[in-house]
Amino acid sequence: MDFIHSPTTIADWSAKARREGALVGFVPTMGALHEGHLQLIHRAKRDGHRVVCSIFVNPLQFNNSEDLQNYPRQLEKDRELLLDAGCNALFAPEKEAIFADFTPTNYDLGGLDTYWEGPSRPGHFSGVVNVVERLFHYVRPDFAYFGEKDRQQLTILEHIGRAYRWPELIVPCPTLRAADGLALSSRNARLNAVEREQATILYRALQKVSGSAFKIPVDELLAKALDILATVPEIKVDYFGIADRHKLAPLSDWHDRTEAIALVAAFVGPVRLIDNITLLR
Ligand code: PAF
């Protein structure tokens, strides 16, 4: 596996791969890799691509400097995990290099940041889109893999990709879960044993909702979910909602929809976790 820091070197690497007839599959990450990330690498490998993983803790997407500081960093371990997963290149740029001669663009997010994560993390999605554009600019992937766990990020990137005619194809990948249902996340490492157990209520609430979706009115369903979450009073729920699959606007009625999304965010101890599930009629 090639370990590359310089943006121009990864651009050359990618150009060489394409000259050799390969397609480039890209998995952008902020490191602290877990099975969920490795699953994206495996998927890109299975799709037959030359695979690049980037590790860059993007300051633009943190609106809380403590969160940025506390974000887990373990580059050596990540490097070994990627090597074992058969990744072809690890791109770990320095902040100064990736943002050289760069002024952030004010992207039109199409209102997709109005809800859910948007209000509690002002500027977050704009920060994500800006760094993904920078990473794409250097890596020039044919395909880029993103997890459905960060549903709103995925939806926004799909929207921006279409609106701004990015040539990269965004490939959504299902959330990987622990045996007890907790969605894998780098943040889980910050939970103590008790919090780790409490955190399982998020997926249990989502699952319960998925069983009754389209059968009972949305407000009843939401009340049911909040009752379930209230069985673990130690967690602080930020939101639980049902949304349109594509626009992410909160729903108060199913109308004749055949699909929707249920989303949740909650503080478990000091850690803010998010999860979501697709609801199908
Ligand atoms: O999902 C993430 O880890 C980050 O938001 C991403 C896409 C790597 C951009 O920094």
Coordinates of all heavy atoms in Angstrom, one line a residue, residues 182-234:
L182 N -26.0 -1.5 17.7 CA -25.4 -0.1 17.7 C -24.6 0.1 16.4 O -23.8 -0.7 16.0 CB -24.4 0.1 18.9 CG -23.8 1.4 19.0 CD1 -24.8 2.5 19.4 CD2 -22.7 1.5 20.1
A183 N -24.9 1.2 15.8 CA -24.2 1.6 14.5 C -22.7 1.8 14.8 O -22.4 2.6 15.8 CB -24.8 2.8 13.9
L184 N -21.8 1.3 14.0 CA -20.4 1.5 14.3 C -20.1 2.9 14.0 O -20.5 3.5 13.0 CB -19.6 0.5 13.4 CG -19.8 -1.0 13.7 CD1 -18.6 -1.7 13.0 CD2 -19.8 -1.3 15.2
S185 N -19.3 3.5 14.9 CA -18.9 4.9 14.7 C -17.6 5.1 15.5 O -17.4 4.4 16.5 CB -20.0 5.8 15.3 OG -19.4 7.1 15.6
S186 N -16.7 6.0 15.0 CA -15.5 6.2 15.7 C -15.7 6.8 17.1 O -14.9 6.6 18.0 CB -14.6 7.2 14.9 OG -14.5 6.8 13.6
R187 N -16.9 7.4 17.2 CA -17.2 8.1 18.5 C -17.5 7.0 19.6 O -17.4 7.3 20.8 CB -18.4 9.0 18.4 CG -18.1 10.2 17.6 CD -19.3 11.0 17.2 NE -19.0 12.0 16.2 CZ -18.7 13.3 16.5 NH1 -18.9 13.7 17.7 NH2 -18.4 14.1 15.6
N188 N -17.9 5.8 19.2 CA -18.3 4.8 20.2 C -17.1 4.5 21.1 O -17.3 4.1 22.2 CB -18.7 3.5 19.5 CG -19.9 3.6 18.6 OD1 -20.6 4.7 18.7 ND2 -20.3 2.6 17.9
A189 N -15.9 4.7 20.6 CA -14.7 4.4 21.4 C -14.6 5.3 22.6 O -13.9 5.0 23.6 CB -13.4 4.7 20.6
R190 N -15.4 6.4 22.6 CA -15.4 7.3 23.8 C -16.5 6.9 24.8 O -16.6 7.6 25.8 CB -15.6 8.7 23.3 CG -14.3 9.2 22.6 CD -14.6 10.6 22.0 NE -15.0 11.6 23.0 CZ -15.8 12.6 22.7 NH1 -16.3 12.8 21.4 NH2 -16.2 13.4 23.6
L191 N -17.2 5.9 24.6 CA -18.3 5.5 25.5 C -17.7 4.5 26.5 O -16.9 3.6 26.2 CB -19.4 4.7 24.8 CG -20.2 5.5 23.7 CD1 -21.0 4.5 22.9 CD2 -21.0 6.6 24.3
N192 N -18.0 4.7 27.8 CA -17.6 3.7 28.8 C -18.6 2.5 28.7 O -19.6 2.6 28.0 CB -17.5 4.3 30.2 CG -18.8 4.8 30.8 OD1 -19.9 4.2 30.5 ND2 -18.8 5.8 31.6
A193 N -18.3 1.5 29.5 CA -19.1 0.2 29.4 C -20.6 0.5 29.6 O -21.5 0.0 28.9 CB -18.6 -0.8 30.3
V194 N -20.9 1.3 30.6 CA -22.3 1.6 30.9 C -23.0 2.4 29.8 O -24.1 2.0 29.3 CB -22.5 2.4 32.2 CG1 -23.9 2.8 32.5 CG2 -21.9 1.5 33.4
E195 N -22.3 3.4 29.3 CA -22.8 4.2 28.2 C -23.0 3.4 26.9 O -24.0 3.5 26.2 CB -21.9 5.4 27.9 CG -21.9 6.4 29.0 CD -20.6 7.3 29.1 OE1 -19.7 7.0 28.3 OE2 -20.6 8.2 29.9
R196 N -22.0 2.5 26.7 CA -22.1 1.6 25.5 C -23.4 0.8 25.5 O -24.0 0.6 24.5 CB -20.8 0.7 25.5 CG -20.8 -0.4 24.5 CD -20.7 0.2 23.1 NE -20.8 -0.9 22.1 CZ -22.0 -1.5 21.8 NH1 -23.1 -1.1 22.4 NH2 -22.0 -2.4 20.9
E197 N -23.7 0.3 26.7 CA -25.0 -0.5 26.8 C -26.2 0.5 26.6 O -27.1 0.1 25.9 CB -25.0 -1.1 28.2 CG -26.3 -1.8 28.6 CD -26.6 -3.0 27.7 OE1 -25.7 -3.6 27.1 OE2 -27.8 -3.2 27.5
Q198 N -26.2 1.6 27.2 CA -27.3 2.6 27.1 C -27.5 3.0 25.6 O -28.6 3.2 25.2 CB -27.0 3.9 27.9 CG -27.0 3.6 29.4 CD -26.4 4.8 30.2 OE1 -25.8 5.7 29.6 NE2 -26.6 4.8 31.5
A199 N -26.4 3.1 24.9 CA -26.5 3.5 23.5 C -27.3 2.6 22.6 O -27.8 3.0 21.5 CB -25.1 3.7 22.9
T200 N -27.5 1.4 23.0 CA -28.2 0.4 22.2 C -29.7 0.8 22.0 O -30.4 0.3 21.2 CB -28.1 -1.0 22.7 OG1 -28.7 -1.1 24.0 CG2 -26.7 -1.5 22.8
I201 N -30.2 1.7 22.9 CA -31.6 2.1 22.9 C -31.9 2.8 21.6 O -33.0 2.8 21.1 CB -32.0 2.9 24.1 CG1 -33.5 3.0 24.3 CG2 -31.4 4.3 24.0 CD1 -34.2 1.7 24.6
L202 N -30.9 3.4 21.0 CA -31.1 4.2 19.7 C -31.6 3.3 18.6 O -32.7 3.6 18.0 CB -29.9 5.0 19.3 CG -29.2 5.9 20.3 CD1 -28.1 6.7 19.6 CD2 -30.3 6.9 20.8
Y203 N -30.9 2.2 18.4 CA -31.3 1.3 17.3 C -32.6 0.6 17.7 O -33.5 0.3 16.8 CB -30.2 0.3 17.0 CG -30.5 -0.5 15.8 CD1 -30.9 0.0 14.6 CD2 -30.6 -1.9 15.9 CE1 -31.2 -0.7 13.5 CE2 -30.9 -2.7 14.8 CZ -31.2 -2.1 13.6 OH -31.5 -2.9 12.5
R204 N -32.8 0.3 19.0 CA -34.0 -0.4 19.4 C -35.2 0.5 19.1 O -36.2 0.0 18.6 CB -34.0 -0.8 20.9 CG -33.2 -2.2 21.0 CD -33.3 -2.7 22.4 NE -32.2 -2.1 23.2 CZ -32.4 -1.7 24.5 NH1 -33.5 -1.9 25.1 NH2 -31.4 -1.2 25.1
A205 N -35.1 1.8 19.3 CA -36.2 2.7 19.1 C -36.4 2.8 17.5 O -37.6 2.7 17.1 CB -35.9 4.1 19.6
L206 N -35.4 2.8 16.8 CA -35.5 2.9 15.3 C -36.2 1.6 14.8 O -37.1 1.7 13.9 CB -34.2 3.0 14.6 CG -33.5 4.4 14.8 CD1 -32.1 4.3 14.3 CD2 -34.3 5.5 14.0
Q207 N -35.8 0.5 15.3 CA -36.4 -0.8 14.8 C -37.8 -0.9 15.2 O -38.6 -1.3 14.3 CB -35.7 -1.9 15.6 CG -34.6 -2.6 14.7 CD -34.1 -3.9 15.4 OE1 -34.0 -3.9 16.6 NE2 -33.9 -4.9 14.6
K208 N -38.2 -0.5 16.4 CA -39.6 -0.5 16.8 C -40.4 0.3 15.8 O -41.5 -0.1 15.4 CB -39.6 0.0 18.2 CG -40.9 -0.3 19.0 CD -40.7 -1.7 19.6 CE -42.0 -2.1 20.3 NZ -42.0 -3.5 20.6
V209 N -39.9 1.5 15.5 CA -40.6 2.4 14.6 C -40.8 1.8 13.3 O -41.8 1.9 12.6 CB -39.8 3.7 14.6 CG1 -40.1 4.5 13.3 CG2 -40.1 4.6 15.8
S210 N -39.7 1.1 12.8 CA -39.8 0.5 11.5 C -40.9 -0.5 11.4 O -41.6 -0.6 10.3 CB -38.4 0.0 11.1 OG -38.4 -1.4 10.9
G211 N -41.2 -1.2 12.5 CA -42.3 -2.2 12.5 C -43.6 -1.6 12.3 O -44.6 -2.2 11.8
S212 N -43.8 -0.3 12.8 CA -45.2 0.3 12.8 C -45.3 1.4 11.7 O -46.4 2.0 11.6 CB -45.5 0.9 14.1 OG -45.3 0.0 15.2
A213 N -44.2 1.6 11.0 CA -44.3 2.7 10.0 C -45.4 2.4 9.0 O -45.6 1.3 8.6 CB -42.9 2.7 9.3
F214 N -46.0 3.5 8.6 CA -47.1 3.4 7.6 C -48.4 2.8 8.1 O -49.4 2.7 7.4 CB -46.7 2.8 6.2 CG -45.4 3.3 5.7 CD1 -44.2 2.6 5.8 CD2 -45.4 4.6 5.1 CE1 -43.0 3.2 5.3 CE2 -44.2 5.1 4.5 CZ -43.0 4.4 4.7
K215 N -48.4 2.2 9.3 CA -49.5 1.5 9.9 C -50.2 2.4 10.9 O -51.5 2.4 11.0 CB -49.1 0.3 10.6 CG -48.5 -0.8 9.6 CD -48.2 -2.1 10.3 CE -47.4 -3.0 9.4 NZ -46.2 -3.6 10.0
I216 N -49.5 3.2 11.6 CA -50.1 4.2 12.6 C -49.7 5.6 12.2 O -48.7 5.8 11.5 CB -49.7 3.8 14.0 CG1 -48.2 3.9 14.3 CG2 -50.2 2.4 14.4 CD1 -47.8 3.8 15.7
P217 N -50.5 6.6 12.6 CA -50.1 8.0 12.3 C -48.7 8.3 12.7 O -48.2 7.8 13.8 CB -51.2 8.8 13.0 CG -52.3 7.9 13.2 CD -51.7 6.5 13.4
V218 N -48.1 9.3 12.0 CA -46.7 9.7 12.3 C -46.5 10.1 13.7 O -45.6 9.8 14.4 CB -46.2 10.7 11.3 CG1 -44.9 11.3 11.7 CG2 -46.1 10.2 9.9
D219 N -47.5 11.0 14.2 CA -47.3 11.5 15.6 C -47.4 10.4 16.6 O -46.7 10.5 17.6 CB -48.3 12.7 15.9 CG -49.8 12.3 15.6 OD1 -50.0 11.2 15.0 OD2 -50.7 13.0 16.0
E220 N -48.2 9.4 16.4 CA -48.3 8.3 17.3 C -47.0 7.5 17.3 O -46.5 7.1 18.4 CB -49.4 7.3 17.0 CG -50.8 7.8 17.5 CD -51.9 6.8 17.1 OE1 -51.7 5.6 17.1 OE2 -53.0 7.4 16.7
L221 N -46.4 7.4 16.1 CA -45.2 6.7 16.0 C -44.0 7.4 16.7 O -43.2 6.8 17.4 CB -44.8 6.5 14.5 CG -43.8 5.5 14.2 CD1 -44.4 4.1 14.4 CD2 -43.4 5.6 12.7
L222 N -44.1 8.7 16.6 CA -43.0 9.5 17.2 C -43.1 9.4 18.7 O -42.1 9.3 19.5 CB -43.1 11.0 16.8 CG -42.7 11.2 15.3 CD1 -42.9 12.7 15.0 CD2 -41.2 10.8 15.1
A223 N -44.4 9.5 19.2 CA -44.6 9.4 20.7 C -44.1 8.0 21.2 O -43.4 7.9 22.2 CB -46.1 9.5 21.0
K224 N -44.4 7.0 20.4 CA -43.9 5.6 20.8 C -42.4 5.6 20.9 O -41.8 5.0 21.8 CB -44.4 4.7 19.7 CG -44.4 3.2 20.0 CD -45.2 2.5 18.9 CE -44.9 1.1 18.9 NZ -45.8 0.3 18.0
A225 N -41.7 6.2 19.9 CA -40.3 6.2 19.9 C -39.7 6.9 21.1 O -38.8 6.4 21.7 CB -39.8 6.8 18.6
L226 N -40.3 8.1 21.4 CA -39.8 8.8 22.5 C -40.0 8.1 23.8 O -39.2 8.1 24.7 CB -40.5 10.2 22.6 CG -40.0 11.2 21.4 CD1 -40.8 12.5 21.4 CD2 -38.5 11.4 21.4
D227 N -41.2 7.3 23.9 CA -41.4 6.5 25.1 C -40.3 5.5 25.3 O -39.8 5.2 26.4 CB -42.7 5.8 25.0 CG -43.9 6.7 25.3 OD1 -43.6 7.8 25.8 OD2 -45.1 6.3 25.0
I228 N -39.9 4.9 24.1 CA -38.9 3.8 24.2 C -37.5 4.5 24.6 O -36.8 4.0 25.5 CB -38.7 3.2 22.8 CG1 -40.0 2.4 22.5 CG2 -37.5 2.2 22.8 CD1 -40.1 1.9 21.1
L229 N -37.2 5.6 24.1 CA -36.0 6.3 24.4 C -36.0 6.7 25.9 O -34.9 6.7 26.5 CB -35.7 7.5 23.5 CG -35.4 7.1 22.0 CD1 -35.5 8.4 21.1 CD2 -34.1 6.5 21.9
A230 N -37.2 7.1 26.4 CA -37.3 7.5 27.8 C -37.0 6.4 28.8 O -36.8 6.6 30.0 CB -38.6 8.1 28.0
T231 N -37.0 5.2 28.3 CA -36.7 4.0 29.2 C -35.2 4.1 29.6 O -34.8 3.3 30.6 CB -37.0 2.7 28.6 OG1 -36.2 2.5 27.4 CG2 -38.5 2.5 28.3
V232 N -34.4 4.8 28.9 CA -33.0 5.0 29.4 C -32.8 6.5 29.7 O -32.4 7.3 28.8 CB -32.0 4.6 28.3 CG1 -30.6 4.8 28.8 CG2 -32.2 3.1 27.9
P233 N -33.3 7.0 30.9 CA -33.3 8.4 31.2 C -32.0 9.1 31.2 O -31.9 10.3 31.1 CB -33.9 8.4 32.6 CG -33.9 7.1 33.1 CD -33.7 6.1 32.0
E234 N -30.9 8.3 31.2 CA -29.6 8.9 31.2 C -29.2 9.5 29.9 O -28.3 10.4 29.8 CB -28.5 7.8 31.6 CG -28.6 7.3 33.0 CD -29.5 6.1 33.1 OE1 -30.2 5.8 32.1 OE2 -29.7 5.6 34.2

